[in-house]
Amino acid sequence: MKRSVKIGMLCLTLLLTFSTTAFAATEVEPNNGMYYANPLTNYLPDQSVESMIGYISPQFDVDYFIFSTHQNITMQRIIFIPPDNGTYQVTVFEAFNTTGRVASGSATNGQVLVLDFPINQLSHYHIEIYSPVGSYNNNNPYYLVAAQR
């Protein structure tokens, strides 16, 4: 109950802060590498929030997403809500460049991870999500929210 209230408040805050339009999509496997990344597709000039539902499963699964930035957008926020009390890593890279790390952080013990970072206009970025210790969850999804501002 506490978790669903926390998620609801977080999504409502994001919607009121960043955009008037958002929807949740579900990841499509395989998305275990940059070339198989699921696109965050609704980044249109009037829609700057995208939310995804995904699963880190089976153990040592890695999920990738890709997004594009728009003109006049200079900041990105990534919010990761983990599925459980495991340990999960979220890293943002310049597209197809694993040495071009832009932001990263870990979510542990059910804590929500928020990454705020500057972005280049009209560029592409990858988001990588995995568990460095083998945490996974077949039943409860993680939530990924991406907002440009």
Side-chain angles (χ1 to χ4, degrees):
M1 180 66 177
K2 265 182 156 178
R3 182 180 172 88
S4 62
V5 170
K6 194 190 291 186
I7 291 169
M9 291 302 293
L10 182 63
C11 289
L12 178 61
T13 301
L14 266 177
L15 290 174
L16 295 176
T17 303
F18 297 110
S19 177
T20 57
T21 307
F23 69 94
T26 302
E27 70 160 325
V28 177
E29 292 285 358
N31 64 338
N32 298 332
M34 288 185 173
Y35 290 98
Y36 302 103
N38 286 188
L40 302 181
T41 57
N42 84 330
Y43 277 157
L44 303 173
D46 62 338
Q47 299 174 331
S48 60
V49 175
E50 172 75 24
S51 58
M52 296 290 286
I53 298 169
Y55 294 86
I56 296 297
S57 179
Q59 190 175 28
F60 301 111
D61 181 26
V62 179
D63 289 345
Y64 281 89
F65 300 92
I66 189 169
F67 66 92
S68 301
T69 61
H70 294 286
Q71 196 166 353
N72 302 321
I73 302 293
T74 59
M75 290 298 293
Q76 177 73 39
R77 173 171 282 174
I78 301 292
I79 299 173
F80 177 76
I81 303 167
D84 54 30
N85 288 336
T87 299
Y88 299 92
Q89 179 73 29
V90 178
T91 305
V92 180
F93 299 98
E94 296 171 356
F96 303 105
N97 180 3
T98 56
T99 62
R101 183 185 305 196
V102 177
S104 66
S106 293
T108 59
N109 298 321
Q111 295 294 318
V112 173
L113 173 66
V114 178
L115 299 173
D116 287 311
F117 52 93
I119 53 176
N120 296 320
Q121 296 178 28
L122 305 173
S123 296
H124 306 283
Y125 295 89
H126 275 106
I127 302 169
E128 175 189 64
I129 301 171
Y130 70 98
S131 174
V133 297
S135 300
Y136 70 102
N137 196 314
N138 293 325
N139 300 315
N140 298 319
Y142 63 78
Y143 297 88
L144 176 69
V145 181
Q148 295 180 5
R149 51 193 173 109

